[in-house]
Amino acid sequence: MLALRLTRGSQPAVQLRRLLVSAASAGTGFLLLCTLGYAMGHPDSPAAAALRLGWCATPLAATVYFAMAVARTDPATRPRPGLSAIGLGPARLMAISATTTALACTLGSMLALLFFLHLRGDLTGMPFDGAAAEFLASDQPLPLPAALTLLALVPVTASVAVVLALRPRDLRPASEKGPARSYGRFGVQGRPDRRETFGAYGRFGAHLRAGARGGEQEPEQPAQAEQLEGADVTASDPSRPPAPREAPRGLPWGIAVLAAGLAVEAYASRAKDGGGLSLPGGLADGPASVLAGWVLTAIGLALAGPGLTHLCGRLLQSVGPGALRLLAGRVLMEESTRIGRPLGVVCAVASGGFAMTALYDADAPAFGPLTTLGLLLVTGCTVATLLTAALEAKHARAETTAALLRLGAPATMLRSAAALRAGALLALFLPLTLFVAELAALPLAGR
């Protein structure tokens, strides 16, 4: 009930993002159900049905990734001071976020089921009744357990991914982590938990400190008490500057995985006896190892994205930078992890799209509706995830932006810094995308 009330009371922008998650879930669920319909209509070709089901893994992954990004930016489930006093700690907020994601995905899955039954002709009273009856095997009864199992893939996978992404973490240094002992509303070893500023101690802290004013000195707490689980060091000492963010460590691994993917594709181009791979939409066929090379290439770009973004911010600040380049570079370095990974995924999807366009045979039939729907789902979810991450980064540095405006920085300078960041990322990732696309299309170009 709390998740439903939080969902109903959210802002229109938050509701729009949840509706987009529902739309993506509906599209993915419809693709899965169409795979079931194809398997029912072609019982003599289980390999082709299994291959169609395997191609649905890409829209499923894109939808789950978008649902995770929306859950991270949901303001209703963001931890705030004082929520633990009413029983809404990090674990409870994580559960509410997972429930909200499951509700949005379940709504999309139900819409997909209704549309699927409508195209089969099982539901009447709307336009296009039974328009795809022959393709979806309307002459056979629909196996309801199989359909519900396929429809449950998106809500269950998205909820589990949100739980893993938003699970509470212990942010204390390793040297200060002792035995996990907690006593209700008191912190480790019975000391008051300083994480909360709203609750019994925060709202009524005056009478708790009355003894200190009357001559009774308040006992000093050890330094470790200020760095409890989830606590921020700068919050306890505002005069202390935050520690500089380290560079992402995934760049070498990303380059290694990317090189491995390109090597697998190059080996597949020389293999003459490999298993056949039927690409959707009338594209060229080739060895099955090409798919493994494309997957490794996409993973490598996603891993290398944060490191490349951090490197781009460092390059902006090189060779005698001014205030504009310093501001743009520092923001890129600070937000490299948040923006770099979705940007790497978009780069991987774009390179795959360019490679498919290069491999498209003009004499082959045009893309079918299911192939078009799958491409739109993957592209739309990845781009929407990148925009959601950019919005999250903007909200994260809202206090910094307000401080710059109070100090007299012109608004045009902030807009110029944003344009400079976008131009620098485009100058780095666009040639990389074209280069990877050309190398990915080489194995199948001569087939």
Side-chain angles (χ1 to χ4, degrees):
M1 290 300 297
L2 181 58
L4 289 174
R5 299 185 69 175
L6 290 175
T7 302
R8 186 183 60 182
S10 300
Q11 299 178 358
V14 180
Q15 299 285 17
L16 177 61
R17 292 197 292 267
R18 290 170 180 166
L19 288 178
L20 289 177
V21 172
S22 299
S25 176
T28 305
F30 182 73
L31 288 178
L32 293 171
L33 290 178
C34 288
T35 302
L36 176 62
Y38 180 85
M40 292 168 53
H42 302 79
D44 54 342
S45 56
L51 183 60
R52 287 173 176 263
L53 184 62
W55 283 115
C56 292
T58 304
L60 175 62
T63 302
V64 171
Y65 191 50
F66 179 47
M68 289 173 55
V70 171
R72 283 197 304 264
T73 57
D74 193 349
T77 57
R78 185 176 304 165
R80 299 182 184 90
L83 289 182
S84 296
I86 59 175
L88 293 179
R92 185 70 63 85
L93 291 178
M94 176 198 66
I96 293 176
S97 182
T99 305
T100 305
T101 303
L103 290 175
C105 294
T106 302
L107 175 61
S109 298
M110 293 299 102
L111 291 177
L113 179 60
L114 292 177
F115 190 65
F116 178 79
L117 294 177
H118 169 62
L119 292 181
R120 273 175 52 94
D122 298 336
L123 299 180
T124 58
M126 294 183 293
F128 305 104
D129 287 335
E134 182 178 357
F135 177 74
L136 299 179
S138 61
D139 55 340
Q140 301 182 20
L142 180 66
L144 190 58
L148 294 181
T149 301
L150 291 176
L151 289 177
L153 283 178
V154 180
V156 171
T157 308
S159 301
V160 172
V162 169
V163 168
L164 294 177
L166 301 182
R167 67 186 185 276
R169 297 178 177 87
D170 193 352
L171 302 180
R172 292 177 298 164
S175 59
E176 298 181 359
K177 291 181 181 179
R181 292 188 296 172
S182 179
Y183 302 95
R185 295 172 61 181
F186 292 91
V188 180
Q189 297 180 358
R191 294 189 299 269
D193 193 349
R194 296 190 179 184
R195 291 176 295 176
E196 298 297 334
T197 58
F198 181 81
Y201 186 79
R203 292 183 61 186
F204 307 105
H207 77 275
L208 295 178
R209 293 187 296 268
R213 298 194 193 101
E216 181 182 352
Q217 186 177 2
E218 188 177 3
E220 295 182 359
Q221 301 292 341
Q224 294 181 355
E226 297 183 359
Q227 296 183 355
L228 296 175
E229 180 179 355
D232 190 0
V233 179
T234 60
S236 59
D237 188 7
S239 62
R240 182 177 179 179
R245 185 179 296 272
E246 297 181 356
R249 302 179 181 179
L251 183 58
W253 291 101
I255 294 177
V257 175
L258 177 61
L262 295 177
V264 170
E265 293 174 8
Y267 175 78
S269 64
R270 299 184 179 183
K272 302 299 182 181
D273 54 349
L277 173 66
S278 179
L279 299 180
L283 300 178
D285 294 343
S289 55
V290 173
L291 178 60
W294 283 4
V295 171
L296 288 176
T297 302
I299 295 175
L301 288 173
L303 290 176
L308 292 176
T309 305
H310 191 276
L311 178 62
C312 187
R314 186 174 292 276
L315 291 177
L316 275 178
Q317 304 174 73
S318 60
V319 193
L324 182 62
R325 289 168 54 192
L326 276 176
L327 179 61
R330 287 300 176 89
V331 171
L332 279 182
M333 293 174 64
E334 184 70 20
E335 304 294 339
S336 58
T337 304
R338 183 180 284 115
I339 297 179
R341 187 148 298 156
L343 191 58
V345 174
V346 170
C347 181
V349 172
S351 62
F354 287 144
M356 292 177 66
T357 304
L359 294 173
Y360 181 70
D361 189 2
D363 298 333
F367 286 167
L370 297 183
T371 303
T372 304
L373 177 60
L375 293 176
L376 290 178
L377 273 175
V378 174
T379 305
C381 287
T382 51
V383 173
T385 302
L386 178 59
L387 296 178
T388 304
L391 181 63
E392 181 185 6
K394 180 181 178 181
H395 290 166
R397 62 175 184 271
E399 296 182 0
T400 304
T401 303
L404 289 175
L405 292 177
R406 287 195 303 267
L407 290 174
T412 55
M413 179 181 178
L414 300 180
R415 289 193 292 266
S416 300
L420 183 59
R421 293 195 301 269
L425 292 176
L426 190 63
L428 178 63
F429 280 91
L430 183 58
L432 178 63
T433 302
L434 296 177
F435 176 72
V436 173
E438 288 293 334
L439 293 180
L442 283 179
L444 300 179
R447 294 181 180 266

